[in-house]
Amino acid sequence: MKSFDVLVIGSGPGGYIAAIRAAQLGLSAAVVEEEPTLGGVCLNWGCIPTKAILSAAEIFAAVKHGVPGLVVEGQSANYAQVIDASRAAADRLVRGVTGLMKKNKIEVLAGRGRLAAGREVVVTRDGVSESLEARNVILATGSTEFVFPGVQVDGKKVLTSREALESRELPAAIVIVGAGAVGLEFAYSYNAYGSQVTIIEMQEQILPGFDKETADALGRSFQRSGIKILTKTAFRSLDASGAGVVVTAENEKGPVELRGDQMLLAVGRRALVADLGLETRGVVVERGFIKVG
C-alpha cells in the first residue's frame, strides 16, 4: 500500500496549491483527480475560459460601437473560433499545473477518492480500486452547477456554464435563468457576439447580495446594449420539446412566457460532498457544506 504524508482529493486551485506547498515543506504528497485533466473548474470550465471569451467580446463590442478616431467596417465574429481559443487558453494552464506536479514530485492518481476507516483512502477508476494510506487528507472537491429538479441538461438546447463553454454554436436568442456573476458574464458575451439575450432573476436586482447602486448601474448598461432583464421573476417550467425552448416564469404581474434557441441555467453551485466516505471519519455536512473547525 502506498503511503503519503498528505493526500489531496481534488486538483483545483484549492487542491493543487495545497499539494505543492506540502511538497515544498518536505512532505510526501499526492493528488487524486477523477476528471481527465488537472486544474478543477477554475482552469477548465470557469475563470480561465470565461475570461478568454469575455476579453474577445469586449474587443468586438468596442469595434462594433466605435472608438473615437477609429472606424472599422464589415465586422464579424467567428464564435466557434472564439470558443476554440478559450479552450486553448485553458489547456495551456492545465499543462502548466501538470508540469508543477512533476516538478514538485507530487504523484497524481486518476480516479475518485473516498475516505475509508483509519488512514485508508480508496481510489477507484473504471471499476478498479486501489487502497492508499494517508496521514493527512485535504478535501478539495469543489463544486458543480446547480440544476433545478426535473430540468434535463442536454448541452444543445439546455445548458449550464459547463456546456456553454464548449458549445461552438452561437444562439440567435437565449434565455438566461439567474443574474449572478456567471449569468451576467454569459449575458454580456452572447449580447456582444450578436445574440438576443433575456435574463430572469427571482430577486429584486441583478447581482443579488451586491451593492444596489453597482447592480443598478450594470443593469442600465446591459439594457442600453439591448439585453432584456426581468427581476422579481421566478422560473417555473421548461419545454424543450420543439425546435427551441419555451421558458415559463412568473412575476407579480402573472405568468411570463419566453422563447429562445437555448436556455442557460446559472442559478448557483453546490458543493461536491456526496460519496466521499465522510461518515467513516465522522465528518459532518451542514447545509450542503463540510463543517470545519
Side-chain angles (χ1 to χ4, degrees):
M1 182 186 296
K2 292 181 181 179
S3 181
F4 301 95
D5 294 320
V6 177
L7 184 72
V8 183
I9 301 179
S11 72
Y16 80 77
I17 291 174
I20 290 172
R21 188 60 181 144
Q24 289 173 340
L25 293 170
L27 303 174
S28 60
V31 170
V32 179
E33 176 56 64
E34 66 175 333
E35 292 294 324
T37 55
L38 301 177
V41 169
C42 179
L43 269 63
N44 290 279
W45 306 109
C47 317
I48 301 307
T50 57
K51 300 312 173 286
I53 295 169
L54 278 169
S55 177
E58 183 180 17
I59 295 169
F60 187 55
V63 169
K64 283 199 303 181
H65 298 147
V67 177
L70 176 64
V71 178
V72 180
E73 297 180 355
Q75 318 96 324
S76 64
N78 186 320
Y79 189 69
Q81 290 184 5
V82 170
I83 294 298
D84 290 344
S86 75
R87 300 313 313 152
D91 290 344
R92 282 195 298 274
L93 289 185
V94 168
R95 289 196 297 272
V97 172
T98 302
L100 286 172
M101 297 296 100
K102 293 177 181 177
K103 178 182 177 181
N104 289 280
K105 297 180 174 57
I106 298 166
E107 186 164 348
V108 176
L109 304 160
R112 182 175 182 82
R114 194 175 191 279
L115 302 177
R119 293 181 172 181
E120 185 181 2
V121 176
V122 178
V123 178
T124 303
R125 181 185 184 187
D126 298 331
V128 179
S129 297
E130 177 184 6
S131 292
L132 310 168
E133 181 187 43
R135 282 175 281 283
N136 299 280
V137 176
I138 295 176
L139 297 175
T141 49
S143 65
T144 190
E145 300 82 5
F146 181 82
V147 177
F148 289 135
V151 173
Q152 298 296 319
V153 176
D154 62 7
K156 296 179 180 179
K157 290 187 290 184
V158 184
L159 317 174
T160 67
S161 59
R162 168 67 172 77
E163 293 76 28
L165 284 169
E166 59 182 345
S167 175
R168 300 171 79 251
E169 293 186 10
L170 183 69
I174 187 166
V175 179
I176 298 178
V177 182
V182 173
L184 296 187
E185 283 187 340
F186 279 101
Y188 176 87
S189 295
Y190 283 128
N191 172 258
Y193 294 124
S195 296
Q196 178 186 332
V197 179
T198 302
I199 306 170
I200 64 172
E201 170 55 55
M202 68 181 298
Q203 301 297 327
E204 293 187 357
Q205 65 174 53
I206 62 171
L207 289 177
F210 279 68
D211 176 77
K212 187 176 187 303
E213 186 177 3
T214 301
D216 289 346
L218 182 60
R220 289 192 295 270
S221 174
F222 272 30
Q223 288 170 334
R224 285 195 298 270
S225 297
I227 298 172
K228 185 177 181 180
I229 300 173
L230 301 175
T231 53
K232 294 190 287 187
T233 302
F235 171 86
R236 292 295 182 234
S237 64
L238 167 70
D239 181 1
S241 60
V245 297
V246 180
V247 179
T248 301
E250 186 175 4
N251 57 29
E252 55 194 8
K253 296 180 181 179
V256 179
E257 191 173 272
L258 304 166
R259 297 176 181 272
D261 299 301
Q262 293 178 336
M263 181 186 84
L264 173 65
L265 197 57
V267 290
R269 303 182 66 82
R270 59 179 178 83
L272 290 169
V273 296
D275 193 31
L276 291 176
L278 302 180
E279 65 284 351
T280 64
R281 304 288 186 91
V283 178
V284 176
V285 175
E286 191 174 82
R287 286 183 287 186
F289 294 89
I290 291 174
K291 186 177 180 180
V292 298

